């Protein structure tokens, strides 16, 4: 057959087809670059907004582990809430503190944007203080953590940072806090988007120095000389001093829209099972603590949201003991019985005051700082003219006059009167022991422990540092083997590295876990470098 | 030839051609049989191009309309279950408006959605599944179609079949053709009415010795009963009166029928269709109405559809247009999360308590509500075990969707052998979703003032527009033939959404934006384009050798402009050896074809990658301090490429013994390379993940479809068909140095899904007991502990999938029975985890009096450095022991084989036309179908083996307390006028 198609097809057909062809190939990716820009999301942002974005990350919840480790909060039932109350390893809760790296990511962005600028040095240095604060929390919780190689995924492509030695990290943050605090300058930029102090530089200097003080105190067991040196630097009035009055407190102003996470257990689905630990109840009851009636109570119907009828009479309060399970709890000599199946009559946190959704969260208080100064004075590290007793009594007075903590109305003044405080300070066990320094340290640090109510990460760190208050180990039968082992004191001393690190940064976390606490084992009984075991 | 000797031949795509002698009939009704393999069968392939089946170098199976329409499923995807080798369908029990999970040839990527491309009348439509806030299922894209409107469905299984779809083809393609009328039938009206009853099925086999209570004590008061309502660790049931959670006393006796909470589901399905045509074309117009009441109280699904199809040839110009408009309303699909998943309470209410006591209208005029307070009547001390009546009556979550997809096609035959066509099609939908958390829910904390609760409303718009052109030419040159097409496609996709959620209210029970105290608005937007050019070339030699080649190039708007163009080629060969050697082939070998093909297809990428974004919190902190942050969680990779799937396939088709035996065999190997992996990295690096083109995985498999017709006579035909597919996958490579990639986790307690190098896809991982070197469980003080090292229990992807369908036709009656099966996969059951720790599983009868001494060993040596294992002799009180599974989270007892064999469906249909001849009815048929008839084999304690109710590949294999499966009884009457 002869091909006739070329003739049949008219020229204009051919041209039309070719034209269509050319157009289709030429225009194939026109306008694509513009199309691929997300119109809703900005690619730049003023770092001032990021500061406020990060500040409420520092008031995290500690009710699963540290609250129970220091025996202020307890849960008898087993189940997914079990962690510190049964001294067992629950990877999800132990790994939760690793989330501080999420806050550090934002802080590093502030630092990156403001590096080298001269007109926003205050915001820059505030971010440096926050960064040091974040790493302090990570080291206190886990020990060795990534530091020098951290935060370099983009654009450097460093996805698997190595872990730095905890001792080195502490040295680095110590100098960073000092330098940043000294660089803050009231004559420079005003940072208004700051929920702690609204940019007040004097208060920021006190915060920086107080953080330095807390860091210095951590060396108490390991290196008292170094501790003394840092403490002296921190309190040097020429550098701005430390938190002294309640007006200096670092507060996250949680509210009706952004609820407080530290007391979430008062409102969640297991609220009926969270009790106040016996050591705290006994401490407050036996010493007629004026805070007690506002913090601790018993409810008639704890399953309901408001708890039903509330009994705040201190004499009726019974703290929940440690080491029991739902069956053996009946062996508690003070066993008060159940309201109904698996709901016990032990005391709980007052939901209408300390358990309010719109409670402020105290991240660092003048009370804590004054008590630390009392501790340092007793040890002879500082001599400012104020006696240890004065610091001690100031601390107690400050915590009892804190706003918001004891009231049903947000931000209201404390109902505790000056007279009640005076009476309390005269109580036999509370009156400051001026003769026996060890007993004095016990008093001071037990007050610190009570002052850290709802701020349990700090309570746990100070407990490990000072050894006080004196607590009985929680010997729950199903507890973690390392915690119960004969070479440990029965307490949890650190959190284990999160499963995510074992999955995604295996080589580095395994290298770090051989160094942990000298034992060479990533478990709950190993210790961070400053928490050495005293003979 | 005299009229009564004339023979009419009826043929259509996918049907066995039938010849009917006219005889003295004035009307002839023909029901075309499902065709499996035929020599001259015509198949609709990619881009709507029709080809003769014998020329195809790849596997394609057509399922006919009758098989889909007669199935009680409202979602036509579910109707394909067990019918096509290589197509793995799961029909989760998520309610009448639920999704269907379709997977072809295993899973071709590590991600969560490996669904085939759905093409309706040549236009791709969206088939993504959407979910409710409580783990419920709002449905997917296929649910917008009325199965009665479907003409045929062709499954293009491999990359080679789908190659012309390029970057959208990696999971295969479902080509759906709807009815367009035509033929010289004149005007016809067809009315179909079906009614379906859904009966919930109870597979539980609990202990019925000990009733509600904890620590061996029955409830002593109503407060007690409301506290321990999910615990069956009480006393031996003795029939004595005991206080119960409804405030009354009831006998302390077993309550075995726990599914009384559910209603019998009822669906009415009506379609009225008009069709007509002449020799130049035709039309088909139908209106459908589905009203389905689910088994879960206050849950329903309504769907109205209007569908039309027209085709007409005006000389050289052909016009075709189809459209489907659907109005869907999906109300309260049941959830699966612990709080608002009503099924949780149904499955875990203590064995001596009856949930329906709480629906006693005299005590509770509004079931679920405490008549004294107006708030939730809490029936468990855990506030997040929400009263299921509160959930179904006070919580609402519904979606209104209006959807229109359709296309217009114009084709011009320039010359008899040359045509050009242009087509425009669009899939467009508007959805509005509303939901609330009702005021007074026990699990929600009290607000500072006003009333607690929340409400949210979302409106979204989705549109996909496709315009394409095609030029085709067809010439014969001696013994050779050339058939070629060239064309291009411009795809534009845009999604926008606006939503607002509010928390806490000023006025009670008014769920509006204005009444909300804290308002949280947000906005969503995305736009992508893919432009493509493609061509096909098909060479034939005589009538037995065919060589096909295709190439498609896609340009992506979502990629880096420096490298945003990718080419997807394919090549295939088909050799009809029975035709080539027809002189030497024995006569019983009617048809035989060998085929082989190879193709490369791809996947897409999402828009707006490669850059770091910031965001601002909706509400400033404390009303004063705006909070901003970097929102990008994945370290950007500006050089991302789309993945590629490279597949090679060989196959054999045989028809033997005068079409008594038909066999279609295929074997394939499918390699996925450059898979974009969201590789998890250390969060200490500043990002939790990054994206890398590094994943590689492989799927190998065989598929077979064997059809036998043992009996074929004038009046009686028996056809038996067996389809089976075997798929084995292997993860070849993950990110540098990584051996494992976690992709999903159970939202409640158990289940980790990962991909591991060297293992099949979808590893189900979890934790085992701590064991001694001999494998015995080690206990401390009688308690077992969990081994902190994650381990793999198996794969969630089945290796074997198949079905066996028998069809018996006698004169005007037809009986069909389908058995289908899946095997080779595992699942983890969160329900059984609860049944253990709450005392319902029969195993918990062990140790009720005296404590449980676990069959294990203990270390008898106090020295921590020396171990001496002796049998465990420490008894742990029963409830404490079983609740240790909750503290320790050991998975081992809750891992089950997912294998099953089910008698899926029995359908009987009768053509009653001859009984109505002479009346105004031209035809009448009756259809009765039962779906989910019987489970013949299953391995999951207390649950149906198909208990996994989600459609995602990253949480597949994790069973999470969904509603029970149902047996469906359907009766349908179809009348033709």
């Amino acid at each position: 057959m002869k091909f006739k198609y070329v003739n049949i097809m008219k020229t204009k057909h051919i041209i039309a087809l070719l034209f269509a062809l050319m157009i289709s190939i030429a225009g194939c990716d026109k306008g694509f670059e513009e199309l691929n820009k997300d119109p809703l999301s900005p690619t730049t942002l003023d770092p001032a907004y990021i500061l406020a974005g990060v500040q409420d990350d520092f008031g995290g919840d500690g009710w699963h582990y540290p609250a129970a480790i220091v025996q202020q909060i307890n849960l008898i039932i087993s189940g997914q809430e079990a962690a510190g109350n049964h001294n067992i390893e629950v990877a999800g809760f132990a790994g939760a503190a690793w989330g501080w790296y999420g806050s550090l990511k934002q802080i590093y962005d502030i630092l990156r944007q403001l590096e080298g600028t001269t007109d926003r040095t205050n915001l820059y240095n505030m971010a440096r203080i926050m960064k040091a604060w974040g790493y302090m929390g990570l080291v206190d919780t886990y020990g060795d953590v990534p530091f020098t190689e951290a935060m370099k995924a983009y654009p450097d492509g460093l996805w698997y940072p190595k872990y730095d030695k905890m001792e080195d990290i502490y040295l680095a943050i110590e100098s960073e806090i000092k330098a940043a605090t000294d660089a803050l300058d009231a004559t420079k930029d005003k940072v208004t988007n700051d929920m702690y102090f609204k940019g007040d530089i004097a208060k920021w200097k006190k915060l920086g120095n107080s953080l330095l003080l807390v860091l210095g105190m951590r060396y108490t067991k390991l290196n008292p000389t170094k501790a003394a040196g840092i403490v002296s630097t921190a309190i040097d009035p020429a550098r701005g001093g430390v938190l002294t009055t309640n007006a200096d407190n670092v507060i996250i102003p949680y509210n009706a829209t952004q609820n407080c996470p530290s007391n979430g257990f008062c409102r969640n689905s297991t609220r009926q099972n969270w009790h106040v630990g016996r050591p705290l109840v006994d401490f407050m009851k036996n010493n007629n603590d004026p805070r007690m009636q506002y913090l601790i109570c018993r409810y008639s119907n704890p399953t309901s949201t408001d708890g039903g009828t509330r009994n705040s009479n201190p004499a009726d309060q019974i703290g929940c003991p440690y080491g029991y399970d739902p069956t053996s709890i009946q062996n508690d000599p003070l066993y008060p019985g159940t309201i109904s199946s698996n709901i016990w009559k032990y005391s709980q946190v007052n939901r209408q005051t300390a358990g309010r959704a719109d409670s402020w969260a105290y991240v660092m208080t003048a009370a804590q700082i004054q008590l630390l100064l009392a501790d340092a004075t007793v040890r002879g590290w500082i001599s400012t003219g104020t006696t240890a007793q004065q610091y001690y009594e100031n601390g107690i007075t400050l915590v009892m006059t804190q706003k918001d903590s004891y009231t049903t109305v947000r931000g209201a003044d404390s109902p505790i009167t000056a007279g009640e405080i005076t009476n309390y300070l005269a109580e036999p066990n509370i009156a400051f022991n001026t003769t026996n320094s060890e007993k004095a340290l016990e008093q001071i640090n037990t007050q610190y422990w009570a002052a850290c109510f709802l701020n349990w990460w700090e309570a746990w760190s100070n407990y490990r540092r000072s050894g006080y208050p004196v607590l009985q180990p929680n010997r729950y039968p199903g507890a973690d083997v390392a915690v119960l082992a004969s070479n440990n004191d029965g307490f949890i001393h650190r959190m284990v590295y999160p499963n995510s690190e074992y999955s995604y940064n295996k080589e580095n976390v395994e290298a770090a876990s051989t160094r942990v606490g000298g034992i060479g084992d990533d478990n709950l009984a190993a210790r961070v470098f400053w928490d050495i075991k005293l003979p | 030839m005299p009229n009564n000797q004339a023979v009419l031949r009826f043929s259509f795509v996918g049907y066995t051609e039938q010849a009917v002698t006219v005889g003295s009939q004035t009307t002839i009704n023909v029901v075309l049989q499902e065709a499996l393999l035929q020599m001259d069968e015509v198949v609709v392939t990619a881009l709507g191009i029709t080809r003769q089946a014998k020329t195809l170098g790849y596997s394609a199976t057509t399922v006919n309309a009758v098989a889909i329409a007669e199935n009680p499923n409202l979602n036509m995807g579910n109707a394909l279950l067990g019918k096509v080798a290589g197509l793995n369908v799961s029909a989760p029990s998520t309610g009448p408006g639920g999704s269907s999970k379709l997977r072809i040839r295993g899973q071709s990527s590590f991600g969560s959605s490996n669904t085939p491309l759905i093409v309706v009348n040549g236009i791709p439509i969206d088939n993504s599944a959407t979910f409710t806030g409580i783990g419920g299922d709002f449905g997917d894209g296929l649910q917008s179609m009325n199965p009665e409107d479907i003409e045929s469905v062709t499954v293009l299984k491999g990359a080679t079949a789908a190659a012309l779809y390029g970057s959208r083809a990696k999971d295969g393609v479902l080509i759906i053709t709807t009815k367009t009328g035509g033929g010289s039938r004149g005007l016809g009206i067809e009315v179909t009415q079906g009614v379906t009853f859904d009966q919930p099925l109870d597979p539980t086999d609990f202990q019925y010795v000990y009733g509600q209570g904890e620590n061996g004590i029955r409830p002593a008061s109503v407060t007690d009963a409301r506290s321990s309502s999910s615990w069956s660790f009480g006393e031996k049931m003795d029939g004595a009166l005991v206080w119960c959670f409804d405030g009354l006393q009831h006998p302390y006796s077993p309550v075995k029928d726990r599914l009384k909470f559910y209603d019998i589901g009822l669906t009415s399905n009506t379609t009225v269709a008009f069709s007509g045509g002449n020799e130049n074309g035709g039309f088909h117009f139908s209106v459908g109405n589905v009203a389905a009441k689910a088994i879960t109280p206050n849950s329903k699904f309504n769907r109205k559809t209007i569908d039309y199809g027209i085709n007409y040839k005006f000389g050289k110009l052909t016009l075709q247009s189809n459209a489907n408009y659907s109005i869907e309303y999906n109300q309260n699909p049941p959830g699966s999360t612990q709080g608002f998943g009503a099924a949780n309470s149904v499955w875990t209410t203590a064995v001596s308590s009856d949930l329906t006591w709480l629906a006693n209208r005299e005590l509770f005029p509004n079931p679920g509500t405490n008549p004294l307070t107006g708030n939730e009547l809490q029936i468990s001390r855990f506030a997040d075990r929400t009263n299921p009546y509160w959930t179904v009556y006070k919580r609402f979550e519904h979606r209104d969707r209006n959807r229109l997809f359709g296309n217009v096609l114009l084709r011009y035959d320039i010359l008899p052998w040359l045509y050009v066509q242009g087509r425009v099609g669009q899939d467009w939908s508007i959805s509005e979703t509303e939901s609330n958390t009702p005021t007074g829910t026990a699990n929600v904390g009290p607000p500072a003032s006003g009333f607690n609760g929340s409400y949210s409303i979302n409106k979204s718009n989705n549109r996909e527009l496709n315009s394409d052109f095609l030029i085709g030419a067809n010439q014969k040159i001696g013994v050779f033939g050339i058939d070629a097409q060239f064309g291009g496609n411009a795809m534009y996709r845009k999604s926008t959404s606006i939503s607002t959620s509010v928390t806490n209210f000023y006025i009670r029970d008014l769920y509006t934006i204005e009444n909300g105290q804290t308002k949280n608005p947000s906005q969503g937007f995305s736009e992508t384009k893919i432009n493509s050019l493609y061509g096909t070339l098909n060479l034939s030699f005589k009538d037995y050798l065919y060589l096909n080649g295709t190439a498609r190039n896609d340009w992506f708007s979502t990629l880096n402009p420096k490298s945003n163009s990718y080419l997807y080629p394919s090549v295939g060969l088909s050799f009809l050896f029975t035709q080539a050697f027809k002189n030497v082939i024995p006569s019983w070998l009617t048809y035989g074809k060998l085929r082989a093909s190879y193709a490369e297809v791809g996947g897409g990428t999402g828009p707006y990658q490669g850059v770091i974004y910031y965001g601002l919190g909706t509400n400033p902190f404390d009303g004063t301090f705006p909070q901003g942050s970097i929102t990008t969680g994945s370290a950007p990779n500006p050089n991302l490429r789309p993945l590629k799937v490279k597949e090679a396939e060989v196959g054999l088709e045989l028809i033997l013994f005068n079409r008594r035996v038909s066999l279609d065999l295929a074997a394939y190997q499918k390699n996925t390379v450059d898979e974009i992996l969201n590789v998890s990295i250390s969060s200490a690096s500043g990002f939790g993940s990054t994206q890398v083109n590094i994943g590689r995985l492989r799927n190998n498999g065989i598929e077979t479809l064997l059809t036998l017709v043992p009996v074929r006579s004038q009046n009686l035909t028996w056809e038996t068909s067996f389809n089976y597919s075997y798929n084995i996958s292997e993860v070849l490579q993950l990110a540098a140095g990584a051996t494992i990639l976690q992709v999903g986790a159970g939202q409640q307690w158990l289940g980790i899904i990962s991909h591991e190098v060297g293992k099949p896809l979808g590893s189900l991982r979890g934790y085992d007991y701590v064991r001694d070197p001999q494998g015995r469980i080690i206990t401390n003080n009688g308690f077992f502990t969990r081994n902190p090292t994650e381990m793999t229990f198996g794969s969630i992807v089945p290796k074997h999938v198949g079905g066996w369908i028998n069809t018996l036709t006698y004169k005007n009656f037809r009986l069909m029975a389908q058995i289908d099966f899946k095997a080779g996969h595992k699942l983890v059951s969160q329900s059984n985890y609860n049944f253990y720790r709450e005392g319902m599983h029969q195993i918990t009868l062990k140790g009720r009096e005296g404590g449980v001494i676990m069959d294990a060993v203990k270390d008898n040596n106090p020295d921590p450095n020396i171990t001496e294992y002796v049998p465990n002799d420490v008894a742990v009180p029963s409830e404490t022991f079983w609740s240790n599974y909750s503290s320790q989270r050991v998975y081992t007892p809750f891992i089950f084989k997912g294998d099953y064999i089910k008698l899926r469906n029995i359908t009987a249909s009768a053509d009653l036309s001859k009984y109505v001849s002479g009346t105004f009815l031209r035809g009448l048929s009756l259809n009765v179908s039962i779906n989910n008839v019987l489970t013949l084999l299953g391995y999951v304690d207390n649950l149906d083996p198909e208990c996994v109710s989600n459609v995602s590949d990253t949480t597949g294999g994790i069973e999470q307390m969904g509603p029970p499966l149902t047996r469906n009884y359907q009766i349908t009457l179809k009348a033709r006028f």
Side-chain angles (χ1 to χ4, degrees), chain A residues 102-169:
Chain A
S103 313
L104 285 166
K105 165 184 174 164
Q106 310 293 342
I107 294 170
Y108 271 63
D109 192 64
I110 302 177
L111 297 172
R112 177 192 64 82
Q113 290 197 48
L114 298 179
E115 180 101 47
T117 62
T118 50
D119 57 336
R120 299 184 82 175
T121 53
N122 281 334
L123 179 54
Y124 180 71
N125 287 299
M126 288 176 190
R128 288 171 77 190
I129 293 174
M130 306 286 293
K131 169 186 165 189
W133 202 354
Y135 277 111
M136 195 165 136
L138 283 165
V139 170
D140 290 348
T141 307
Y142 298 104
D144 287 4
V145 291
F147 179 65
T148 48
E149 289 192 348
M151 304 294 143
K152 292 186 195 282
Y154 182 83
D156 300 337
L158 211 171
W159 301 333
Y160 309 110
K162 73 172 197 315
Y163 286 52
D164 290 87
K165 300 208 177 117
M166 41 195 160
E167 304 90 331
D168 297 342
I169 300 176

Side-chain angles (χ1 to χ4, degrees), chain B residues 120-172:
Chain B
V120 179
N121 301 317
I123 298 294
I125 65 164
D126 175 60
N127 192 34
S128 45
T130 48
F131 304 99
T132 71
I134 55 172
D137 181 2
F138 265 138
D140 55 17
L142 286 174
Q143 70 175 164
S144 303
M145 299 191 72
N146 180 351
E148 283 287 334
D149 295 333
I150 295 176
E151 182 78 77
S152 71
V153 176
T154 303
V155 183
L156 301 182
K157 301 183 210 171
T160 44
L164 275 173
Y165 286 106
S167 59
R168 306 183 71 172
K170 74 172 181 60
D171 302 303

Side-chain angles (χ1 to χ4, degrees), chain A residues 222-238:
Chain A
L222 181 71
N223 189 342
T225 317
K226 184 167 171 61
I230 299 175
V231 170
S232 302
T233 312
I235 65 167
D236 181 359

